[in-house]
């Protein structure tokens, strides 16, 4: 019988939860819109920041999707977390 290295599955679950939280963070922007308007930002400025963030998010997801088969999900998730 071959000996295999046992990995801590709880670390994988924690990592997956953190990734999901990061993926949904862009949609929490509406929480910051009102305070920013109160300190002098215009609605247009807050919408531009959200739009830029959402566009960057979409572009990076396409790049990450193409990189995953090449470098693997673990290295991609670790490098994403570092960035």
């Amino acid at each position: 019988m071959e000996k295999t290295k046992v990995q801590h599955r709880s670390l994988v679950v924690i990592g997956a939860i953190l990734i999901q939280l990061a993926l949904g963070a862009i949609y929490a922007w509406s929480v910051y819109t009102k305070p920013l308007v109160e300190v002098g930002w215009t609605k247009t400025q807050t919408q531009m920041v959200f739009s830029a963030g959402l566009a960057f998010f979409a572009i990076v997801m396409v790049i990450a999707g193409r990189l995953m088969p090449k470098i693997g999900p673990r290295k991609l998730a670790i490098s994403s977390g570092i960035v």
Side-chain angles (χ1 to χ4, degrees):
M1 187 167 250
E2 187 178 319
K3 244 185 180 179
T4 59
K5 183 179 176 184
V6 177
Q7 296 180 354
H8 295 285
R9 293 181 180 165
S10 59
L11 292 177
V12 175
V13 172
I14 292 168
I17 290 170
L18 291 174
I19 289 171
Q20 291 300 318
L21 287 172
L23 291 173
I26 189 76
Y27 300 105
W29 178 253
S30 62
V31 173
Y32 301 107
T33 302
K34 186 177 179 184
L36 288 172
V37 169
E38 289 173 357
V39 296
W41 288 46
T42 66
K43 284 264 190 183
T44 303
Q45 289 173 325
T46 62
Q47 291 169 354
M48 291 299 291
V49 171
F50 177 76
S51 297
L54 200 56
F56 185 72
F57 180 78
I59 291 167
V60 169
M61 287 301 115
V62 171
I63 295 168
R66 293 185 179 190
L67 283 175
M68 190 160 37
K70 295 177 185 175
I71 66 173
R74 177 176 292 191
K75 287 182 183 176
L76 185 62
I78 290 171
S79 62
S80 299
I82 290 170
V83 170

